[in-house]
Amino acid sequence: MNTISLISCATRAAVCLAALMLTGATAMAAIPRPEHPRPGALRSEWLNLNGVWDFAETGDGGQTFLADAAYPDRITVPFCRESELSGLGRKGFVTNVWYRRSFQRPKGWKSPRTRLHIGACDWKTDVWVNGRKAGTHVGGSAPFAFDITQLLKDGENTVIIHAFDDTRSHLQALGKQCDVLESHGCLYTRTTGIWQTVWLEGVGSSFIRDFHIQPDAEKGQAVLDVEVDGAWRGMKIRATATADGKPAAKATAEALWRNGRLTLNLKPARLWSPSDPFLYDLNLELLDGAKVVDQVRGYFGLRSVSIQGAAILLNGKAVFQRLVLDQGFYPDGIWSAPSEEALKRDIELSMAAGFNGARLHQKVFEPRFLYWADRLGYLVWGEFPNWGLNYADQRVNLPVIDEWVEIVRRDRNHPSVIGWCPFNETPADAIPLQNTVVNMTRLLDPSRPIIDTSGWTHGLPDAEVLDDHNYDQNPDSFRKRWLDGYLASLTMPARYGGAATNRLVPFMVSEYGGIGWDTGTGWGYGVSPKTLDEFHERYAGLARALLDNRLMFGFCYTQLTDVEQERNGIYTYDRKPKFDMKRIHAATAQKSAYEEDPPLEVSALSGEWRILAGAAVDGGAAQMWRFTTDRPAAGWEKAGFDDASWKQSKGAFGQKDGFEKLIAQKWDTSDIWLRSSFRLDDKMPASAMLVIHYDNDTEVYLNGQLLWQAEQWNDAYAGFDVSETFRKHARPGANTLAVHCAQETGGQFIDLAILGR
């Protein structure tokens, strides 16, 4: 892509961007990724340093490539050495990479100061200019910049960049980068060193370091907090907003070293939304009298995000978030998109399948992707690539905290970012770090909801949004879990692993589906459908189960594209459709109960659960069971069946890693049958909950009648609302419970409790 092609395909904001590029980028022909990497913060004087650099790599830190050391290789920046686009395609482990190139500061620049920017470099980066240290940055996903004004000389200058990256240390956030040699499971090719654009930028003797745009949709205003490096008395900040090229608002305020505040009263006040992604252009000027000392151009959207009851509202309306899991990997660029068009195309492919947004999964996507999300009306959740961290080692904490702050500051002006989810599928020992990061995020950006971790271990005492992951492939049991089970699991007592919040908060199933298709040597979740029709029926049924639940504000389907050996995308790794996209779109875009009847008012879920039949975690109240592993005679589930010859034990039953302390009776055969009884007084419970951890297929009977059943397994105790069926079949006095659990593969476990209130 060259400057001319950028202009020909651009919108008004991109036209402005292309004009700015003429100053610097056209001086270098055939620059990879030539567009300005930060469309929300443009300056007229900038120089793209992407292209061919000298390159060297070593397996240890002993050898350096400073001064005049010979570099054995050449690499194309901004692509990592593992990628084909880098010109190397080296996928083996290496811990130290070195880059070197020469450049000249353009003679026509009027800016007195020069900053060197690196969009992202994994993981610890040191930079030298003309043999003198410019600075160090730790973190593989956030941008950073150094003022190199005093290090420059007339004519040719040399920049050297060194990156240390040890994916096997468990001290670095990796995301989905594989920590063994070959990709496997849901871990893929590594990214080492530079993977986003490197550029020079000219700034004023005093300059606008950062700015935070806070839209107020109700008042039709945008409030700007502007930070100035080197402000002095008498300086002003002037902000001008335009709409379709026409003036919309202007404001001036005193320039302060931090948080100089301006309010733009927008006329017209036009809201940004997925159906109308309208953007205002923004011009910020730092003034010393009449002189413009520094100038930045960007854009913003006017919209609100709020929580009411158990609903997340966009501009005061319930918009069901039809999200897709997007991992942001490319066959030729790995973490780096081959072009800006590829970034835009991924969003268009997602929208063609009926999605209105994405979880940006285990990767910090570049600002150019967010720019197109802003322009196309695409809702995204920002995430940190936390996989790979050893939370028991406190050395991981500070790098995560520091980099997450940089990421939130970078992205908080994008209207498309609808929420934050810094962690994914974390163990319990991550909770202290998670809670710290969430509390910091609330301070940095109070305008968006936050999920502490997607799936697994939620640890916030005051969670405002919750989610879960579920890859059940059976639409019927999946529907039962999320229509009958969600409300129960929300109030499941904490001893079973539940949140026990006694309140409803916005909730979504943020990973589901992952239906494998044409997996070959790869994999997908569950047993692959035998026909395309069977795929489409499963896809539509899983989506319908969530769309019919008015307590779900959204879902996230796994995933947009195949990634290497993981073959569960709706597109192939090279972005070709695998299915009938009209059918996929129709299923994804089905009407939702949430939008038609959003849960704006929810009452407290009061009342203590009492144990009717206890599980292992209930200690002394745990149920005593009769059990057998031999197939019993017909009628084994009925109250009058003679089970005197069966063995006796308390639960739980099975053999499963991580649950050894709960297992009272080993079970390692294909099937187990259980029988027990409990008593009810004359007062029938108004509500009943089944709490069960099952692995695999299970049936639960009450007085000979089916109370509940499920296929596959769960990996923890989960609650299910069985109130209607329980009241139908329970009776005062003795009641008989009977359970059958069948083992298929993996660990096996069965334990349950019946609660009433």
Side-chain angles (χ1 to χ4, degrees):
M1 181 186 292
N2 55 33
T3 304
I4 294 175
S5 64
L6 251 181
I7 294 175
S8 66
C9 71
T11 55
R12 67 181 191 283
V15 169
C16 173
L17 166 62
L20 292 172
M21 287 174 58
L22 291 171
T23 304
T26 53
M28 300 178 66
I31 298 173
R33 299 300 307 271
E35 65 280 352
H36 194 290
R38 293 290 301 274
L42 299 166
R43 285 187 169 87
S44 59
E45 293 184 343
W46 76 285
L47 177 67
N48 193 318
L49 295 184
N50 290 345
V52 178
W53 291 52
D54 296 331
F55 182 76
E57 60 182 47
T58 66
D60 58 54
Q63 184 177 3
T64 65
F65 288 84
L66 295 171
D68 297 325
Y71 281 62
D73 298 310
R74 306 272 276 172
I75 190 171
T76 299
V77 171
F79 304 110
C80 68
R81 41 103 52 195
E82 290 84 357
S83 70
E84 297 303 320
L85 290 174
S86 72
L88 297 175
R90 296 175 183 167
K91 295 181 170 59
F93 285 108
V94 68
T95 52
N96 292 270
V97 290
W98 296 80
Y99 304 79
R100 182 178 65 190
R101 69 158 290 167
S102 297
F103 67 90
Q104 291 188 20
R105 187 180 190 273
K107 294 181 179 179
W109 279 16
K110 298 179 181 179
S111 304
R113 297 169 69 178
T114 304
R115 303 181 83 204
L116 173 67
H117 289 262
I118 299 176
C121 183
D122 197 7
W123 179 71
K124 180 181 179 182
T125 308
D126 293 289
V127 178
W128 294 263
V129 175
N130 295 325
R132 297 163 65 188
K133 188 72 171 285
T136 299
H137 178 265
V138 175
S141 298
F144 54 98
F146 303 123
D147 189 322
I148 61 171
T149 306
Q150 301 303 316
L151 307 181
L152 295 176
K153 60 185 181 182
D154 292 338
E156 190 171 273
N157 295 269
T158 300
V159 56
I160 292 176
I161 298 173
H162 168 250
F164 168 80
D165 187 14
D166 186 359
T167 55
R168 292 171 289 187
S169 70
H170 301 292
L171 299 177
Q172 301 175 200
L174 302 179
K176 291 300 189 76
Q177 299 181 67
C178 193
D179 59 356
V180 297
L181 187 60
E182 299 292 337
S183 299
H184 68 95
C186 54
L187 298 177
Y188 323 118
T189 301
R190 290 168 292 282
T191 289
T192 302
I194 296 171
W195 64 279
Q196 288 187 34
T197 293
V198 182
W199 78 101
L200 294 181
E201 178 185 58
V203 300
S205 53
S206 298
F207 67 95
I208 298 167
R209 178 182 293 277
D210 194 15
F211 56 95
H212 182 197
I213 304 169
Q214 302 169 76
D216 187 331
E218 185 176 348
K219 294 181 180 179
Q221 297 177 340
V223 179
L224 278 65
D225 287 331
V226 183
E227 297 183 19
V228 176
D229 185 298
W232 61 76
R233 186 183 298 274
M235 277 189 162
K236 301 288 186 182
I237 289 286
R238 182 167 62 202
T240 305
T242 57
D244 292 328
K246 299 177 182 179
K250 182 179 288 189
T252 303
E254 184 180 356
L256 303 174
W257 68 283
R258 185 182 298 158
N259 296 335
R261 177 160 290 189
L262 306 92
T263 300
L264 292 170
N265 294 299
L266 298 163
K267 295 180 181 179
R270 183 172 168 183
L271 298 182
W272 182 98
S273 69
S275 60
D276 182 22
F278 181 79
L279 298 172
Y280 293 89
D281 291 313
L282 176 67
N283 183 36
L284 281 176
E285 297 169 298
L286 178 61
L287 305 173
D288 184 14
K291 180 182 178 182
V292 178
V293 178
D294 191 47
Q295 184 179 32
V296 181
R297 291 177 182 170
Y299 67 90
F300 64 93
L302 181 64
R303 63 105 179 93
S304 68
V305 182
S306 59
I307 291 177
Q308 182 177 337
I312 295 179
L313 305 180
L314 178 63
N315 300 328
K317 298 179 180 179
V319 176
F320 191 85
Q321 296 183 34
R322 295 170 171 82
L323 309 179
V324 70
L325 198 76
D326 188 347
Q327 309 211 55
F329 274 74
Y330 298 87
D332 50 0
I334 315 301
W335 261 8
S336 307
S339 66
E340 179 181 22
E341 180 59 30
L343 296 171
K344 179 185 177 187
R345 181 65 175 151
D346 280 356
I347 297 174
E348 292 172 334
L349 290 174
S350 174
M351 297 177 79
F355 298 103
N356 60 7
R359 266 188 71 201
L360 306 183
H361 184 52
Q362 283 299 285
K363 175 188 169 184
V364 178
F365 282 50
E366 59 179 281
R368 270 277 156 196
F369 181 94
L370 298 180
Y371 164 74
W372 283 110
D374 295 337
R375 287 205 48 76
L376 297 173
Y378 192 65
L379 306 174
V380 300
W381 285 76
E383 189 172 311
F384 186 74
N386 66 283
W387 274 22
L389 293 170
N390 175 14
Y391 299 100
D393 192 326
Q394 294 190 2
R395 287 178 293 175
V396 309
N397 293 348
L398 188 58
V400 170
I401 291 169
D402 287 346
E403 189 170 21
W404 181 249
V405 169
E406 294 170 327
I407 291 163
V408 173
R409 287 173 65 92
R410 189 198 78 171
D411 293 344
R412 61 187 175 179
N413 289 339
H414 289 280
S416 60
V417 178
I418 201 73
W420 302 110
C421 182
F423 295 88
N424 175 70
E425 292 186 348
T426 46
D429 58 359
I431 288 176
L433 177 59
Q434 283 176 193
N435 291 356
T436 296
V437 168
V438 168
N439 290 332
M440 285 195 328
T441 308
R442 288 172 174 172
L443 293 173
L444 285 166
D445 181 15
S447 70
R448 291 177 174 90
I450 307 164
I451 300 175
D452 56 347
T453 184
S454 186
W456 294 18
T457 312
H458 295 293
L460 280 174
D462 58 344
E464 57 190 8
V465 183
L466 290 170
D467 74 337
D468 202 355
H469 298 171
N470 190 311
Y471 284 105
D472 182 357
Q473 296 293 301
N474 184 315
D476 292 334
S477 57
F478 187 74
R479 183 181 184 87
K480 188 178 187 69
R481 167 69 182 94
W482 294 109
L483 278 178
D484 298 342
Y486 166 58
L487 189 61
S489 63
L490 181 69
T491 59
M492 185 174 67
R495 64 182 177 274
Y496 302 109
T501 58
N502 286 326
R503 62 190 180 95
L504 284 172
V505 298
F507 184 92
M508 70 169 165
V509 176
S510 58
E511 284 187 31
Y512 80 100
I515 306 170
W517 179 259
D518 192 21
T519 55
T521 58
W523 68 278
Y525 288 97
V527 177
S528 295
K530 293 181 176 60
T531 65
L532 280 172
D533 280 342
E534 185 182 339
F535 176 92
H536 283 289
E537 289 171 5
R538 186 188 301 182
Y539 181 92
L542 294 174
R544 183 77 267 163
L546 300 174
L547 288 160
D548 283 348
N549 190 336
R550 64 182 289 265
L551 299 178
M552 295 277 174
F553 74 82
F555 60 50
C556 181
Y557 181 82
T558 303
Q559 62 182 323
L560 181 62
T561 72
D562 295 344
V563 182
E564 298 187 4
Q565 68 278 354
E566 189 172 348
R567 309 285 173 79
N568 49 24
I570 55 175
Y571 295 93
T572 63
Y573 198 13
D574 57 357
R575 275 56 176 177
K576 294 176 181 176
K578 296 164 64 175
F579 310 105
D580 182 341
M581 282 302 137
K582 290 184 178 179
R583 291 183 68 177
I584 294 290
H585 186 285
T588 308
Q590 297 173 85
K591 286 186 177 181
S592 73
Y594 171 81
E595 289 172 311
E596 296 193 350
D597 184 21
L600 302 178
E601 297 182 8
V602 292
S603 58
L605 303 171
S606 58
E608 291 294 325
W609 290 105
R610 59 190 175 100
I611 299 171
L612 304 179
V617 294
D618 292 315
Q623 200 76 2
M624 181 64 72
W625 295 89
R626 294 273 187 177
F627 72 95
T628 183
T629 56
D630 298 323
R631 181 173 295 278
W636 67 271
E637 75 279 12
K638 298 185 181 301
F641 182 81
D642 183 4
D643 58 17
S645 63
W646 293 17
K647 298 176 183 179
Q648 280 189 300
S649 176
K650 289 188 175 182
F653 299 82
Q655 55 175 6
K656 188 169 185 177
D657 291 344
F659 297 92
E660 293 86 353
K661 292 182 179 180
L662 291 175
I663 294 173
Q665 176 63 49
K666 183 178 180 180
W667 161 49
D668 58 4
T669 61
S670 61
D671 294 83
I672 192 169
W673 290 263
L674 312 174
R675 287 174 54 86
S676 188
S677 65
F678 64 92
R679 296 191 65 81
L680 280 178
D681 56 26
D682 291 338
K683 184 179 180 182
M684 182 67 64
S687 300
M689 182 195 302
L690 168 69
V691 178
I692 187 168
H693 179 173
Y694 63 97
D695 189 351
N696 294 113
D697 301 355
T698 301
E699 304 162 327
V700 180
Y701 294 88
L702 175 62
N703 296 325
Q705 303 298 316
L706 185 65
L707 178 69
W708 180 91
Q709 66 179 349
E711 295 180 352
Q712 296 191 331
W713 65 90
N714 59 9
D715 279 325
Y717 291 94
F720 296 89
D721 182 4
V722 293
S723 301
E724 183 177 352
T725 309
F726 183 89
R727 289 195 302 269
K728 183 177 180 180
H729 300 304
R731 57 195 180 209
N735 290 264
T736 298
L737 277 177
V739 181
H740 172 221
C741 186
Q743 168 61 8
E744 293 178 0
T745 59
Q748 53 195 105
F749 190 96
I750 183 65
D751 191 32
L752 66 143
I754 301 289
L755 308 181
R757 68 181 183 188

